[in-house]
């Protein structure tokens, strides 16, 4: 029998031979967007910012980069462009490269467009603007999404599901369109409760469910969502009550069809629409796993906001989290954001240079690490302990927060029992003392600690499907891209196009890059 390492070597040889036939027709990596016009949606998001920076830094010969930003008018969109994108530290390498010409370069290449993917025609109400943009565009990259796992159902459907349809419909009005790249998530697969299960890079069928029990009708889901919203408003439910009601309804509908949360459910429906209705639009769907800080580009460690694992690691460093929910051997599929971006560019390049711009048979790409370079929960725990032992965070009084090795709670019931015994019962006792003795001295302490416990509980409930995830993601299509890119760009030392998870040394990355990065950029 082949060993796993032998399989990888054998598989890589096959991929390299297949890729040879593509390489002859594909131009230099630094030139493939020359003269092209690209539209990017959701450009204020973490992943989209890195994509925009990469294009501007390495593809300076592109003609125009339109960024669709949610705004009421062009002036507001332009302000968002500068305040929320260009001014970020992420762009410092590009800023240094152009020096005093940076502003003029951005003005020449980048155009902020006011719009909204949740609206028909992307919210481009001015007919002349809509027509002009549609005639110019060669490539559309749809990164717009709401990534809250328990987002309001109406908002999640509007952006993640109907947004995909609106982007597709707009692409069909673009006479020069050569590619539509849609960013999804690997976790559209739902929960994985079977050890070693391999999730393949396969499209959804329209109406497919994960539990095989119910029938999914996307239009019906939209109608039910609108009906529930009308009922709540008729009862004068508004504010937080409306928000929580629609969040709860989203989770209810997701679980009915087999998905663990509103995010993965609405993203899956978006994929169904794209695959079923794409017609002759050359489509790419990328499915990243847990996206982390930059590995190399434009510099190591840049991140914005807490990603999935960072909430746990950050809570551990603060002394809030002492137990990790999950099994020590559970594989946590993490991939640096710049590797995601490089694979997206490689996929675009492949489809643009394919014969007659035809749709590729395999257009779905898992971008992750679990299949080739797995990272386990126990390793994350150990590396977190090593880092915070040497580099402790500090309390408000300046004293270091001392961490001990985290323990594992392998199921949600065991986690709930631990929280009840360790935290909730003592807090109830403290609250009882406050009331019996008519003391308000401990009331602030009680409320503060209760909020922290509630935050940990909520965090565990949201991330539990991924912290006990038992499958791995096959990435055969992405490996084919890697083979193509390696052959094509061999010797091109000026163009860094790395997206092979085998190149990641997890110890070095976590301790010297990722944890310091999110402490610096996300824990300000």
């Amino acid at each position: 029998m082949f060993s796993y390492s032998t399989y990888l070597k054998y598989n890589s040889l096959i991929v390299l031979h297949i890729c040879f036939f593509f390489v002859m027709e594909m131009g230099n990596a630094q030139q493939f967007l020359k003269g092209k016009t690209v539209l990017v949606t959701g450009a204020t998001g973490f992943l989209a910012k890195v994509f925009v920076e990469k294009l501007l830094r390495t593809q300076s010969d592109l003609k125009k980069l339109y960024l669709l930003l949610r705004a009421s008018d062009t002036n507001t969109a332009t302000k968002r462009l500068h305040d929320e994108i260009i001014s970020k530290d992420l762009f410092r390498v590009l800023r240094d490269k152009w020096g005093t010409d940076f502003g003029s370069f951005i003005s020449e290449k980048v155009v902020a467009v006011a719009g909204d993917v949740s609206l028909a025609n992307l919210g481009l109400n001015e007919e002349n603007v809509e027509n002009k943009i549609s005639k110019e565009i060669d490539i559309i990259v749809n990164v717009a999404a709401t990534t809250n796992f328990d987002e309001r159902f109406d908002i999640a459907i509007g952006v993640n599901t109907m947004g995909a349809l609106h982007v597709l419909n707009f692409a069909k009005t673009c006479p020069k369109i050569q590619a539509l790249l849609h960013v999804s998530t690997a976790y559209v697969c739902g929960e994985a409760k079977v050890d070693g299960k391999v999730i393949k890079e396969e499209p959804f069928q329209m109406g497919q469910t994960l539990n095989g029990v119910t029938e999914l009708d996307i239009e019906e889901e939209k109608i039910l969502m609108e009906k529930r919203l009308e009922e709540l408003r008729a009862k004068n439910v508004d504010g937080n009550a409306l928000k929580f009601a629609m969040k709860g309804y989203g989770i209810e509908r997701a679980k009915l069809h087999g998905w663990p949360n509103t995010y993965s459910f609405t993203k899956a429906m978006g994929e169904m629409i794209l695959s079923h209705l794409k017609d002759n639009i050359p489509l790419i769907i990328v499915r990243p796993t847990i996206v982390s800080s930059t590995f190399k580009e434009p510099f190591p460690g840049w991140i914005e906001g807490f990603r999935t694992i960072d909430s746990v690691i950050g809570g551990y460093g603060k002394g809030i989290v002492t137990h990790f929910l999950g099994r020590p051997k559970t594989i946590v599929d993490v991939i640096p954001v710049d590797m995601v971006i490089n694979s997206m560019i490689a996929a675009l390049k492949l489809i643009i240079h394919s014969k007659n711009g035809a749709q590729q048979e395999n257009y779905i790409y898992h971008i992750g690490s679990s299949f080739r370079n797995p990272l386990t929960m126990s390793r994350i725990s150990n590396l977190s302990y090593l880092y915070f032992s040497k580099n402790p965070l500090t309390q408000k009084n300046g004293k270091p927060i001392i961490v001990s090795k985290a323990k594992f709670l392998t199921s949600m019931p065991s986690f709930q029992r631990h929280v009840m015994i360790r935290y909730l019962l003592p807090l109830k006792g403290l609250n009882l003392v406050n009331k019996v003795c008519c003391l308000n001295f401990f009331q602030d302490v009680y409320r503060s600690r209760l909020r922290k416990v509630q935050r940990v509980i909520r965090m565990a409930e949201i991330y539990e499907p991924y912290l006990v995830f038992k499958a791995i993601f096959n990435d055969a299509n992405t490996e084919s891209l890697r083979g193509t890119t390696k052959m094509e760009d061999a010797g091109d030392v000026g163009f860094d196009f790395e997206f092979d998870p085998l190149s990641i040394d997890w110890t070095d990355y976590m301790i010297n890059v990722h944890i310091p990065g999110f402490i610096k950029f996300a824990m300000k």
Side-chain angles (χ1 to χ4, degrees):
M1 292 180 65
F2 283 149
S3 66
Y4 182 69
S5 60
T6 303
Y7 165 76
L8 285 180
K9 293 177 182 178
Y10 178 73
N11 187 53
S12 298
L13 285 173
I14 294 174
V15 168
L16 287 173
H17 278 85
I18 293 172
C19 292
F20 175 79
F21 295 100
F22 291 101
V23 171
M24 300 305 294
E25 295 184 4
M26 297 174 71
N28 183 275
Q30 296 193 50
Q31 300 298 321
F32 94 102
L33 286 183
K34 184 176 182 179
K36 306 287 186 188
T37 295
V38 182
L39 170 66
V40 180
T41 70
T44 58
F46 167 58
L47 193 147
K49 283 191 183 81
V50 183
F51 179 76
V52 168
E53 193 278 339
K54 174 81 175 190
L55 288 194
L56 291 174
R57 181 165 44 83
T58 66
Q59 303 287 323
S60 57
D61 285 335
L62 64 81
K63 183 178 180 181
K64 194 72 67 177
L65 188 57
Y66 286 112
L67 304 185
L68 187 77
L69 304 172
R70 185 176 294 175
S72 57
D73 53 51
T74 301
N75 289 336
T76 306
T78 302
K79 188 176 187 304
R80 290 197 69 191
L81 165 66
H82 290 282
D83 292 350
E84 300 178 40
I85 303 175
I86 301 301
S87 65
K88 296 297 182 180
D89 196 51
L90 172 70
F91 287 81
R92 74 177 187 225
V93 174
L94 186 65
R95 197 176 293 110
D96 292 342
K97 174 183 176 180
W98 287 92
T100 57
D101 294 327
F102 177 73
S104 58
F105 170 72
I106 295 298
S107 298
E108 177 190 348
K109 296 293 182 180
V110 184
V111 177
V113 179
D116 188 338
V117 297
S118 67
L119 303 175
N121 296 322
L122 307 184
L124 303 176
N125 296 322
E126 299 180 26
E127 185 177 351
N128 59 333
V129 173
E130 178 185 341
N131 290 339
K132 179 185 176 184
I133 292 176
S134 64
K135 289 178 181 177
E136 293 182 16
I137 289 173
D138 299 289
I139 299 165
I140 298 177
V141 178
N142 182 36
V143 197
T146 173
T147 57
N148 291 338
F149 288 179
D150 64 341
E151 180 62 271
R152 284 175 49 161
F153 196 34
D154 52 326
I155 294 175
I157 279 188
V159 179
N160 295 343
T161 305
M162 300 311 297
L165 175 62
H166 296 151
V167 171
L168 177 62
N169 287 339
F170 183 77
K172 291 178 179 179
T173 70
C174 301
K176 296 171 56 183
I177 193 72
Q178 293 181 300
L180 166 58
L181 187 151
H182 173 76
V183 178
S184 184
T185 170
Y187 296 99
V188 289
C189 66
E191 296 179 85
K193 299 181 179 180
V194 179
D195 278 320
K197 181 179 180 180
V198 177
I199 309 295
K200 296 181 180 179
E201 296 162 300
E202 295 177 338
F204 282 104
Q205 300 299 314
M206 181 61 80
Q208 179 181 341
T209 65
L210 297 184
N211 54 18
V213 176
T214 59
E215 183 177 342
L216 174 59
D217 183 323
I218 296 176
E219 184 60 31
E220 180 67 16
E221 290 300 318
K222 183 171 179 289
I223 291 171
L224 288 172
M225 173 274 292
E226 292 170 344
K227 182 179 179 181
R228 177 58 62 92
L229 197 58
E230 289 175 4
E231 290 173 350
L232 291 168
R233 286 172 174 165
K235 296 177 182 178
N236 294 321
V237 176
D238 56 12
N240 283 334
L242 178 65
K243 178 177 71 174
F244 289 126
M246 291 307 295
K247 282 187 173 186
Y249 190 55
I251 293 175
E252 175 188 327
R253 298 306 301 177
K255 291 187 174 180
L256 175 67
H257 298 298
W259 278 270
N261 53 55
T262 310
Y263 169 61
S264 58
F265 176 45
T266 53
K267 290 295 284 185
M269 289 193 289
E271 279 198 26
M272 291 178 195
I273 288 172
L274 290 171
S275 293
H276 185 68
L277 301 177
K278 62 184 173 63
D279 296 333
N280 62 345
I281 297 294
L283 175 66
I284 300 165
I285 296 177
V286 296
R287 293 174 177 170
T289 53
I290 299 170
V291 183
S292 58
S293 61
T294 53
F295 181 59
K296 290 182 180 179
E297 294 185 84
F299 51 85
W302 189 82
I303 196 169
E304 189 172 57
F306 274 36
R307 318 325 294 173
T308 304
I309 59 168
D310 301 334
S311 298
V312 178
I313 297 174
Y316 171 73
K318 291 179 179 179
I320 300 172
V321 175
T322 58
H323 290 67
F324 280 27
L325 173 60
R327 302 176 307 162
K329 293 183 179 180
T330 294
I331 295 172
V332 183
D333 199 316
V334 176
I335 191 75
V337 63
D338 47 332
M339 289 193 174
V340 178
I341 299 309
N342 286 343
S343 63
M344 288 166 60
I345 294 174
L348 283 170
K349 188 159 177 279
L350 177 62
I351 201 168
I352 288 172
H353 287 283
S354 63
K355 190 174 181 180
N356 299 321
Q359 173 69 61
Q360 302 293 313
E361 180 180 354
N362 299 319
Y363 61 91
I364 293 180
Y365 300 92
H366 282 154
I367 309 172
S369 60
S370 60
F371 191 73
R372 299 180 187 280
N373 189 7
L375 174 67
T376 62
M377 280 288 292
S378 62
R379 196 168 182 188
I380 291 175
S381 174
N382 290 335
L383 293 176
S384 299
Y385 173 72
L386 287 175
Y387 180 84
F388 288 113
S389 295
K390 294 180 179 180
N391 309 278
L393 300 178
T394 56
Q395 303 176 38
K396 291 181 179 180
N397 59 11
K399 292 184 179 180
I401 298 172
I402 306 301
V403 298
S404 58
K405 283 198 171 184
K407 298 179 181 179
F408 284 89
L409 299 167
T410 58
S411 67
M412 199 62 186
S414 64
F415 172 81
Q416 291 168 339
R417 286 194 299 271
H418 169 75
V419 171
M420 175 60 71
I421 296 171
R422 178 69 176 80
Y423 298 105
L424 292 180
L425 287 179
L427 281 176
K428 286 182 179 180
L430 180 62
N431 192 40
L432 182 62
V433 170
N434 284 337
K435 291 180 178 179
V436 171
C437 299
C438 298
L439 296 173
N440 292 321
F441 180 75
F442 297 112
Q443 196 63 25
D444 289 342
V445 175
Y446 166 75
R447 289 173 179 169
S448 174
R449 291 182 179 178
L450 181 62
R451 281 195 299 269
K452 289 180 180 179
V453 173
Q454 289 172 335
R455 188 162 64 247
V456 170
I457 293 172
R458 184 61 178 150
M459 187 167 59
E461 290 173 346
I462 289 174
Y463 296 135
E464 187 256 349
Y466 309 104
L467 297 175
V468 297
F469 196 80
K470 297 183 178 181
I472 59 177
F473 294 99
N474 178 276
D475 64 347
N477 294 342
T478 308
E479 175 64 7
S480 178
L481 280 178
R482 283 191 282 267
T484 303
T485 304
K486 286 175 183 177
M487 290 191 68
E488 179 188 352
D489 297 321
D492 188 359
V493 296
F495 190 71
D496 194 342
F497 217 61
E498 178 64 70
F499 57 102
D500 188 345
L502 284 174
S503 66
I504 304 172
D505 178 333
W506 288 117
T507 299
D508 178 68
Y509 174 71
M510 292 298 292
I511 290 181
N512 298 319
V513 177
H514 181 67
I515 298 179
F518 86 71
I519 289 175
K520 177 180 180 180
F521 294 109
M523 292 182 66
K524 293 180 179 179

